[in-house]
């Protein structure tokens, strides 16, 4: 995790404060600039070529190549906070478009909800938040992987994939609608946007990318539909962790 003083999205170990997260993903940083975003990454290149050994706490699987951000002042970084930081929308607009009305995208931690003392509403919010987070990152990773397989660099592909999702989130927010990342029409809109955004990334072979994009989006739909169907509010349950992998 680091404070991105220069806005480059990449850690400068000589000038920017950084630290490693603990086993629960928590970290603490001191900054002389309270307006710059914080970045958490499992991508060594983004982390100034530091060695990284990360585990996804929601699934127990090894984690690599991912980068999350959030607006200045964020206490929790997630796919939702990343969409917010990378967009021109308000937090309320992004939350509504993701079906997370009333939940803070910059402070809510679903894994901090105590299953033994939380209310049913708090447990439901935790499940809803993590389901959306999983669906967003599944979509972004699939599009990014298709682009990387077609010649793009990992970080550029991920940024462009997030941009494609953000474009559709923005359209949904403007229309007062909710994005359903398991819905074929909504995924089709993201696919159409990605076909434009990702072929503009340096190194991408447009023919190769478009040849695999449709298959990738179809696979995303299958996974995201399974995630949508989850009802167990215990995020540590083995069946839940299996889908969050």
């Amino acid at each position: 995790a680091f404070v991105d003083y220069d806005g480059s999205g990449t850690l400068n170990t000589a000038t920017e404060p950084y630290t490693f997260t603990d086993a629960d993903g928590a970290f603490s940083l001191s900054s002389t600039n309270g307006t710059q975003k914080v970045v958490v990454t499992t991508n060594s290149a983004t982390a100034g070529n530091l060695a990284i050994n990360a585990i996804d706490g929601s699934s127990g699987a090894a984690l690599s190549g991912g980068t999350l951000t959030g607006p200045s002042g964020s206490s929790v970084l997630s796919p939702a906070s990343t969409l917010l930081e990378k967009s021109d929308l308000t937090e309320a607009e992004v939350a509504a478009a993701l079906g997370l009305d009333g939940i803070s995208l910059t402070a809510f931690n679903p894994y901090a909800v105590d299953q033994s003392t939380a209310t049913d509403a708090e447990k439901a919010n935790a499940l809803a938040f993590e389901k959306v987070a999983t669906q967003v990152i599944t979509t972004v990773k699939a599009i990014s992987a298709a682009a990387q397989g077609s010649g793009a660099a990992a970080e550029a592909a991920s940024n462009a994939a997030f941009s494609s999702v953000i474009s559709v989130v923005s359209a949904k927010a403007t229309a007062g609608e909710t994005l359903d990342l398991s819905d074929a029409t909504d995924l089709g809109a993201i696919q159409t946007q990605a076909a434009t955004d990702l072929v503009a990334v340096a190194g991408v072979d447009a023919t190769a990318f478009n040849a695999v994009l449709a298959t990738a989006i179809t696979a995303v739909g299958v996974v995201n539909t399974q995630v949508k169907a989850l009802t167990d509010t215990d995020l540590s349950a083995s069946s839940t962790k299996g889908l969050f992998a």
Side-chain angles (χ1 to χ4, degrees):
F2 64 95
V3 182
D4 192 16
Y5 280 170
D6 60 11
S8 67
T10 300
L11 171 64
N12 183 327
T13 57
T15 60
E16 295 174 329
Y18 68 93
T19 188
F20 290 92
T21 63
D22 65 16
D24 295 320
F27 63 91
S28 177
L29 283 169
S30 296
S31 172
T32 58
N33 188 331
T35 65
Q36 294 300 320
K37 67 182 178 182
V38 175
V39 178
V40 171
T41 185
T42 59
N43 186 329
S44 180
T46 303
N49 295 317
L50 295 173
I52 296 177
N53 180 22
I55 299 295
D56 183 352
S58 66
S59 65
L63 191 62
S64 63
T67 299
L68 300 175
T69 66
S72 174
S74 298
S75 58
V76 176
L77 302 184
S78 69
S81 71
T82 303
L83 289 176
L84 174 60
E85 193 279 324
K86 291 178 177 292
S87 76
D88 294 323
L89 301 172
T90 67
E91 184 172 356
E93 288 172 331
V94 175
L98 294 177
L100 299 174
D101 295 272
I103 301 176
S104 172
L105 305 185
T106 60
F108 183 68
N109 180 359
Y111 289 94
V113 174
D114 189 332
Q115 293 291 315
S116 64
T117 61
T119 65
D120 288 343
E122 289 169 335
K123 292 178 182 178
N125 282 345
L127 177 61
F129 191 94
E130 189 57 22
K131 284 165 67 171
V132 168
T134 298
Q135 289 177 323
V136 168
I137 208 66
T138 296
T139 306
V140 167
K141 287 175 69 174
I143 296 171
S144 178
Q148 290 178 59
S150 305
E155 192 71 9
S158 179
N159 286 336
F162 263 112
S163 294
S164 296
V165 175
I166 289 167
S167 293
V168 178
V169 169
S170 296
K172 289 290 185 178
T174 299
E177 298 174 349
T178 301
L179 176 65
D180 183 349
L181 285 167
S182 67
D183 178 75
T185 300
D186 286 353
L187 286 174
I190 292 174
Q191 178 181 338
T192 298
Q193 189 64 46
T196 298
D197 294 342
L198 275 295
V199 297
V201 174
V204 170
D205 182 315
T207 301
F209 174 69
N210 287 314
V212 298
L213 180 59
T215 300
I217 292 295
T218 298
V220 166
V222 171
V223 173
N224 284 355
T225 297
Q226 293 175 328
V227 171
K228 182 180 180 180
L230 283 171
T231 58
D232 190 347
T233 56
D234 182 0
L235 301 185
S236 65
S238 58
S239 58
T240 302
K241 292 177 71 174
L243 278 177
F244 288 165

